[in-house]
mmCIF file of all heavy atoms in Angstrom:
data_model
loop_
_atom_site.group_PDB
_atom_site.id
_atom_site.type_symbol
_atom_site.label_atom_id
_atom_site.label_comp_id
_atom_site.label_asym_id
_atom_site.label_seq_id
_atom_site.Cartn_x
_atom_site.Cartn_y
_atom_site.Cartn_z
ATOM 1 N N ALA A 187 86.229 70.553 85.792
ATOM 2 C CA ALA A 187 84.809 70.268 85.641
ATOM 3 C C ALA A 187 84.129 70.413 86.989
ATOM 4 O O ALA A 187 84.502 69.769 87.957
ATOM 5 C CB ALA A 187 84.620 68.859 85.099
ATOM 6 N N ASN A 188 83.138 71.293 87.046
ATOM 7 C CA ASN A 188 82.401 71.545 88.276
ATOM 8 C C ASN A 188 81.016 70.948 88.118
ATOM 9 O O ASN A 188 80.255 71.360 87.249
ATOM 10 C CB ASN A 188 82.326 73.062 88.474
ATOM 11 C CG ASN A 188 81.806 73.444 89.823
ATOM 12 O OD1 ASN A 188 81.251 72.616 90.535
ATOM 13 N ND2 ASN A 188 81.973 74.701 90.164
ATOM 14 N N ILE A 189 80.690 69.922 88.955
ATOM 15 C CA ILE A 189 79.420 69.203 88.767
ATOM 16 C C ILE A 189 78.237 70.145 88.923
ATOM 17 O O ILE A 189 77.278 70.096 88.146
ATOM 18 C CB ILE A 189 79.314 68.024 89.762
ATOM 19 C CG1 ILE A 189 80.507 67.092 89.612
ATOM 20 C CG2 ILE A 189 78.028 67.249 89.523
ATOM 21 C CD1 ILE A 189 80.630 66.064 90.695
ATOM 22 N N ALA A 190 78.316 71.033 89.911
ATOM 23 C CA ALA A 190 77.207 71.963 90.137
ATOM 24 C C ALA A 190 76.967 72.834 88.907
ATOM 25 O O ALA A 190 75.828 73.077 88.506
ATOM 26 C CB ALA A 190 77.513 72.816 91.353
ATOM 27 N N GLN A 191 78.082 73.274 88.290
ATOM 28 C CA GLN A 191 77.969 74.120 87.102
ATOM 29 C C GLN A 191 77.353 73.354 85.933
ATOM 30 O O GLN A 191 76.503 73.866 85.214
ATOM 31 C CB GLN A 191 79.366 74.603 86.711
ATOM 32 C CG GLN A 191 79.361 75.813 85.813
ATOM 33 C CD GLN A 191 80.776 76.188 85.400
ATOM 34 O OE1 GLN A 191 81.550 75.327 84.990
ATOM 35 N NE2 GLN A 191 81.113 77.456 85.500
ATOM 36 N N LEU A 192 77.774 72.062 85.782
ATOM 37 C CA LEU A 192 77.245 71.232 84.687
ATOM 38 C C LEU A 192 75.747 70.998 84.853
ATOM 39 O O LEU A 192 74.990 71.029 83.887
ATOM 40 C CB LEU A 192 77.987 69.900 84.633
ATOM 41 C CG LEU A 192 79.458 69.951 84.204
ATOM 42 C CD1 LEU A 192 80.111 68.606 84.396
ATOM 43 C CD2 LEU A 192 79.592 70.377 82.757
ATOM 44 N N ILE A 193 75.349 70.769 86.123
ATOM 45 C CA ILE A 193 73.917 70.549 86.384
ATOM 46 C C ILE A 193 73.126 71.794 86.005
ATOM 47 O O ILE A 193 72.048 71.723 85.425
ATOM 48 C CB ILE A 193 73.700 70.154 87.865
ATOM 49 C CG1 ILE A 193 74.291 68.766 88.113
ATOM 50 C CG2 ILE A 193 72.225 70.177 88.223
ATOM 51 C CD1 ILE A 193 74.272 68.334 89.550
ATOM 52 N N ARG A 194 73.706 72.968 86.328
ATOM 53 C CA ARG A 194 73.009 74.218 85.999
ATOM 54 C C ARG A 194 72.938 74.431 84.485
ATOM 55 O O ARG A 194 71.951 74.932 83.968
ATOM 56 C CB ARG A 194 73.761 75.396 86.630
ATOM 57 C CG ARG A 194 73.088 75.929 87.876
ATOM 58 C CD ARG A 194 73.820 77.109 88.454
ATOM 59 N NE ARG A 194 74.943 76.710 89.273
ATOM 60 C CZ ARG A 194 76.154 77.287 89.217
ATOM 61 N NH1 ARG A 194 76.380 78.273 88.403
ATOM 62 N NH2 ARG A 194 77.132 76.859 89.994
ATOM 63 N N GLN A 195 74.020 74.014 83.786
ATOM 64 C CA GLN A 195 74.064 74.244 82.343
ATOM 65 C C GLN A 195 73.088 73.361 81.585
ATOM 66 O O GLN A 195 72.438 73.798 80.649
ATOM 67 C CB GLN A 195 75.479 73.956 81.819
ATOM 68 C CG GLN A 195 76.366 75.172 81.831
ATOM 69 C CD GLN A 195 77.671 74.910 81.103
ATOM 70 O OE1 GLN A 195 78.191 73.794 81.105
ATOM 71 N NE2 GLN A 195 78.198 75.918 80.474
ATOM 72 N N TRP A 196 73.044 72.057 81.985
ATOM 73 C CA TRP A 196 72.168 71.102 81.312
ATOM 74 C C TRP A 196 71.217 70.466 82.312
ATOM 75 O O TRP A 196 71.436 69.329 82.742
ATOM 76 C CB TRP A 196 72.992 70.001 80.628
ATOM 77 C CG TRP A 196 73.790 70.493 79.481
ATOM 78 C CD1 TRP A 196 73.306 71.016 78.323
ATOM 79 C CD2 TRP A 196 75.219 70.502 79.381
ATOM 80 N NE1 TRP A 196 74.347 71.357 77.496
ATOM 81 C CE2 TRP A 196 75.536 71.047 78.109
ATOM 82 C CE3 TRP A 196 76.252 70.089 80.212
ATOM 83 C CZ2 TRP A 196 76.832 71.209 77.681
ATOM 84 C CZ3 TRP A 196 77.554 70.251 79.764
ATOM 85 C CH2 TRP A 196 77.829 70.807 78.517
ATOM 86 N N PRO A 197 70.158 71.159 82.704
ATOM 87 C CA PRO A 197 69.216 70.553 83.656
ATOM 88 C C PRO A 197 68.450 69.369 83.067
ATOM 89 O O PRO A 197 67.985 68.512 83.804
ATOM 90 C CB PRO A 197 68.271 71.712 83.992
ATOM 91 C CG PRO A 197 68.410 72.673 82.871
ATOM 92 C CD PRO A 197 69.785 72.523 82.335
ATOM 93 N N GLU A 198 68.373 69.303 81.710
ATOM 94 C CA GLU A 198 67.604 68.203 81.094
ATOM 95 C C GLU A 198 68.293 66.855 81.278
ATOM 96 O O GLU A 198 67.653 65.820 81.139
ATOM 97 C CB GLU A 198 67.375 68.464 79.597
ATOM 98 C CG GLU A 198 68.632 68.562 78.765
ATOM 99 C CD GLU A 198 69.109 69.997 78.591
ATOM 100 O OE1 GLU A 198 68.658 70.852 79.384
ATOM 101 O OE2 GLU A 198 69.925 70.252 77.705
ATOM 102 N N LEU A 199 69.610 66.860 81.574
ATOM 103 C CA LEU A 199 70.305 65.577 81.748
ATOM 104 C C LEU A 199 69.998 64.939 83.095
ATOM 105 O O LEU A 199 70.273 63.762 83.307
ATOM 106 C CB LEU A 199 71.822 65.773 81.600
ATOM 107 C CG LEU A 199 72.320 66.077 80.191
ATOM 108 C CD1 LEU A 199 73.801 66.386 80.228
ATOM 109 C CD2 LEU A 199 72.083 64.909 79.267
ATOM 110 N N GLU A 200 69.448 65.736 84.024
ATOM 111 C CA GLU A 200 69.053 65.243 85.359
ATOM 112 C C GLU A 200 70.188 64.524 86.065
ATOM 113 O O GLU A 200 70.067 63.378 86.487
ATOM 114 C CB GLU A 200 67.832 64.315 85.236
ATOM 115 C CG GLU A 200 66.549 65.101 84.919
ATOM 116 C CD GLU A 200 65.394 64.186 84.593
ATOM 117 O OE1 GLU A 200 65.296 63.112 85.203
ATOM 118 O OE2 GLU A 200 64.604 64.548 83.707
ATOM 119 N N MET A 201 71.345 65.198 86.137
ATOM 120 C CA MET A 201 72.495 64.602 86.830
ATOM 121 C C MET A 201 72.322 64.781 88.335
ATOM 122 O O MET A 201 71.665 65.718 88.775
ATOM 123 C CB MET A 201 73.780 65.279 86.363
ATOM 124 C CG MET A 201 74.146 64.935 84.933
ATOM 125 S SD MET A 201 75.738 65.611 84.498
ATOM 126 C CE MET A 201 75.310 67.288 84.173
ATOM 127 N N ILE A 202 72.953 63.856 89.106
ATOM 128 C CA ILE A 202 72.836 63.908 90.566
ATOM 129 C C ILE A 202 74.177 64.334 91.134
ATOM 130 O O ILE A 202 75.220 63.779 90.787
ATOM 131 C CB ILE A 202 72.448 62.516 91.124
ATOM 132 C CG1 ILE A 202 71.161 62.024 90.449
ATOM 133 C CG2 ILE A 202 72.252 62.590 92.625
ATOM 134 C CD1 ILE A 202 70.905 60.553 90.631
ATOM 135 N N ASN A 203 74.150 65.333 92.040
ATOM 136 C CA ASN A 203 75.354 65.757 92.743
ATOM 137 C C ASN A 203 75.336 65.067 94.100
ATOM 138 O O ASN A 203 74.682 65.528 95.037
ATOM 139 C CB ASN A 203 75.343 67.289 92.888
ATOM 140 C CG ASN A 203 76.640 67.808 93.446
ATOM 141 O OD1 ASN A 203 77.516 67.057 93.836
ATOM 142 N ND2 ASN A 203 76.758 69.129 93.479
ATOM 143 N N LEU A 204 76.063 63.948 94.210
ATOM 144 C CA LEU A 204 76.000 63.121 95.430
ATOM 145 C C LEU A 204 76.443 63.889 96.667
ATOM 146 O O LEU A 204 75.793 63.833 97.719
ATOM 147 C CB LEU A 204 76.864 61.869 95.246
ATOM 148 C CG LEU A 204 76.281 60.779 94.339
ATOM 149 C CD1 LEU A 204 77.336 59.736 94.026
ATOM 150 C CD2 LEU A 204 75.072 60.125 94.978
ATOM 151 N N ALA A 205 77.576 64.606 96.546
ATOM 152 C CA ALA A 205 78.117 65.319 97.708
ATOM 153 C C ALA A 205 77.127 66.360 98.216
ATOM 154 O O ALA A 205 76.905 66.490 99.425
ATOM 155 C CB ALA A 205 79.440 65.974 97.337
ATOM 156 N N GLU A 206 76.517 67.095 97.306
ATOM 157 C CA GLU A 206 75.566 68.136 97.691
ATOM 158 C C GLU A 206 74.326 67.524 98.331
ATOM 159 O O GLU A 206 73.830 68.012 99.358
ATOM 160 C CB GLU A 206 75.191 68.956 96.452
ATOM 161 C CG GLU A 206 74.235 70.099 96.711
ATOM 162 C CD GLU A 206 74.825 71.194 97.569
ATOM 163 O OE1 GLU A 206 76.061 71.259 97.692
ATOM 164 O OE2 GLU A 206 74.043 71.955 98.151
ATOM 165 N N ASP A 207 73.834 66.411 97.758
ATOM 166 C CA ASP A 207 72.648 65.749 98.327
ATOM 167 C C ASP A 207 72.937 65.253 99.729
ATOM 168 O O ASP A 207 72.107 65.366 100.642
ATOM 169 C CB ASP A 207 72.227 64.581 97.437
ATOM 170 C CG ASP A 207 71.630 65.056 96.124
ATOM 171 O OD1 ASP A 207 71.272 66.254 96.048
ATOM 172 O OD2 ASP A 207 71.523 64.253 95.185
ATOM 173 N N GLU A 208 74.138 64.712 99.928
ATOM 174 C CA GLU A 208 74.524 64.215 101.253
ATOM 175 C C GLU A 208 74.592 65.364 102.255
ATOM 176 O O GLU A 208 74.151 65.230 103.404
ATOM 177 C CB GLU A 208 75.900 63.547 101.143
ATOM 178 C CG GLU A 208 75.985 62.234 101.890
ATOM 179 C CD GLU A 208 77.361 61.612 101.809
ATOM 180 O OE1 GLU A 208 77.648 60.977 100.781
ATOM 181 O OE2 GLU A 208 78.133 61.770 102.766
ATOM 182 N N ARG A 209 75.135 66.502 101.797
ATOM 183 C CA ARG A 209 75.254 67.668 102.680
ATOM 184 C C ARG A 209 73.872 68.148 103.109
ATOM 185 O O ARG A 209 73.627 68.424 104.295
ATOM 186 C CB ARG A 209 76.000 68.784 101.950
ATOM 187 C CG ARG A 209 76.342 69.984 102.803
ATOM 188 C CD ARG A 209 76.911 71.107 101.972
ATOM 189 N NE ARG A 209 75.891 71.740 101.149
ATOM 190 C CZ ARG A 209 75.100 72.716 101.568
ATOM 191 N NH1 ARG A 209 75.199 73.171 102.798
ATOM 192 N NH2 ARG A 209 74.201 73.237 100.755
ATOM 193 N N LEU A 210 72.940 68.206 102.155
ATOM 194 C CA LEU A 210 71.583 68.654 102.482
ATOM 195 C C LEU A 210 70.902 67.690 103.447
ATOM 196 O O LEU A 210 70.198 68.109 104.374
ATOM 197 C CB LEU A 210 70.763 68.782 101.193
ATOM 198 C CG LEU A 210 71.181 69.924 100.257
ATOM 199 C CD1 LEU A 210 70.483 69.781 98.925
ATOM 200 C CD2 LEU A 210 70.878 71.278 100.863
ATOM 201 N N GLN A 211 71.167 66.391 103.250
ATOM 202 C CA GLN A 211 70.608 65.379 104.151
ATOM 203 C C GLN A 211 71.141 65.571 105.575
ATOM 204 O O GLN A 211 70.396 65.483 106.554
ATOM 205 C CB GLN A 211 70.960 63.982 103.617
ATOM 206 C CG GLN A 211 70.282 62.849 104.357
ATOM 207 C CD GLN A 211 68.758 62.927 104.281
ATOM 208 O OE1 GLN A 211 68.186 63.163 103.222
ATOM 209 N NE2 GLN A 211 68.111 62.741 105.409
ATOM 210 N N ASP A 212 72.455 65.843 105.686
ATOM 211 C CA ASP A 212 73.068 66.073 107.000
ATOM 212 C C ASP A 212 72.436 67.281 107.693
ATOM 213 O O ASP A 212 72.201 67.267 108.910
ATOM 214 C CB ASP A 212 74.576 66.304 106.854
ATOM 215 C CG ASP A 212 75.304 65.028 106.449
ATOM 216 O OD1 ASP A 212 74.720 63.944 106.637
ATOM 217 O OD2 ASP A 212 76.446 65.128 105.957
ATOM 218 N N VAL A 213 72.174 68.346 106.928
ATOM 219 C CA VAL A 213 71.556 69.552 107.496
ATOM 220 C C VAL A 213 70.165 69.217 108.039
ATOM 221 O O VAL A 213 69.793 69.632 109.147
ATOM 222 C CB VAL A 213 71.483 70.668 106.427
ATOM 223 C CG1 VAL A 213 70.579 71.800 106.888
ATOM 224 C CG2 VAL A 213 72.865 71.213 106.136
ATOM 225 N N GLU A 214 69.408 68.414 107.265
ATOM 226 C CA GLU A 214 68.053 68.012 107.701
ATOM 227 C C GLU A 214 68.111 67.209 108.988
ATOM 228 O O GLU A 214 67.335 67.421 109.931
ATOM 229 C CB GLU A 214 67.370 67.190 106.603
ATOM 230 C CG GLU A 214 67.005 67.992 105.371
ATOM 231 C CD GLU A 214 65.964 69.052 105.675
ATOM 232 O OE1 GLU A 214 64.942 68.745 106.323
ATOM 233 O OE2 GLU A 214 66.184 70.214 105.280
ATOM 234 N N ASP A 215 69.078 66.239 109.038
ATOM 235 C CA ASP A 215 69.230 65.408 110.240
ATOM 236 C C ASP A 215 69.538 66.256 111.460
ATOM 237 O O ASP A 215 69.004 66.040 112.554
ATOM 238 C CB ASP A 215 70.355 64.383 110.020
ATOM 239 C CG ASP A 215 69.983 63.369 108.946
ATOM 240 O OD1 ASP A 215 68.774 63.231 108.663
ATOM 241 O OD2 ASP A 215 70.890 62.728 108.399
ATOM 242 N N LYS A 216 70.431 67.233 111.272
ATOM 243 C CA LYS A 216 70.803 68.105 112.393
ATOM 244 C C LYS A 216 69.597 68.893 112.892
ATOM 245 O O LYS A 216 69.406 69.057 114.107
ATOM 246 C CB LYS A 216 71.898 69.089 111.946
ATOM 247 C CG LYS A 216 73.289 68.521 111.909
ATOM 248 C CD LYS A 216 74.319 69.595 112.236
ATOM 249 C CE LYS A 216 75.702 68.970 112.309
ATOM 250 N NZ LYS A 216 76.586 69.513 111.295
ATOM 251 N N LYS A 217 68.787 69.351 111.953
ATOM 252 C CA LYS A 217 67.589 70.119 112.352
ATOM 253 C C LYS A 217 66.647 69.257 113.183
ATOM 254 O O LYS A 217 66.062 69.726 114.167
ATOM 255 C CB LYS A 217 66.863 70.623 111.097
ATOM 256 C CG LYS A 217 67.427 71.897 110.534
ATOM 257 C CD LYS A 217 66.529 72.425 109.437
ATOM 258 C CE LYS A 217 67.168 73.583 108.725
ATOM 259 N NZ LYS A 217 66.556 73.854 107.429
ATOM 260 N N LYS A 218 66.507 67.986 112.769
ATOM 261 C CA LYS A 218 65.602 67.068 113.513
ATOM 262 C C LYS A 218 66.084 66.880 114.928
ATOM 263 O O LYS A 218 65.306 66.795 115.876
ATOM 264 C CB LYS A 218 65.551 65.711 112.783
ATOM 265 C CG LYS A 218 64.556 65.682 111.663
ATOM 266 C CD LYS A 218 64.376 64.275 111.141
ATOM 267 C CE LYS A 218 64.212 64.328 109.624
ATOM 268 N NZ LYS A 218 64.870 63.225 108.945
ATOM 269 N N ARG A 219 67.436 66.808 115.083
ATOM 270 C CA ARG A 219 68.011 66.617 116.415
ATOM 271 C C ARG A 219 67.977 67.900 117.217
ATOM 272 O O ARG A 219 68.245 67.874 118.412
ATOM 273 C CB ARG A 219 69.463 66.168 116.278
ATOM 274 C CG ARG A 219 69.649 64.676 116.108
ATOM 275 C CD ARG A 219 71.109 64.327 116.129
ATOM 276 N NE ARG A 219 71.725 64.629 114.850
ATOM 277 C CZ ARG A 219 73.005 64.954 114.702
ATOM 278 N NH1 ARG A 219 73.791 65.016 115.742
ATOM 279 N NH2 ARG A 219 73.491 65.211 113.505
ATOM 280 N N GLY A 220 67.659 69.006 116.596
ATOM 281 C CA GLY A 220 67.675 70.294 117.282
ATOM 282 C C GLY A 220 69.039 70.960 117.231
ATOM 283 O O GLY A 220 69.335 71.855 118.022
#
Side-chain angles (χ1 to χ4, degrees):
Chain A
N188 190 346
I189 304 169
Q191 199 183 48
L192 292 172
I193 292 174
R194 257 182 278 136
Q195 270 189 328
W196 292 296
E198 62 266 18
L199 289 174
E200 287 171 36
M201 290 186 281
I202 305 164
N203 187 354
L204 285 169
E206 182 66 18
D207 289 344
E208 224 182 279
R209 187 187 72 86
L210 291 169
Q211 188 61 45
D212 290 341
V213 167
E214 291 295 312
D215 293 340
K216 280 212 175 117
K217 277 189 188 162
K218 276 190 218 142
R219 274 186 282 151

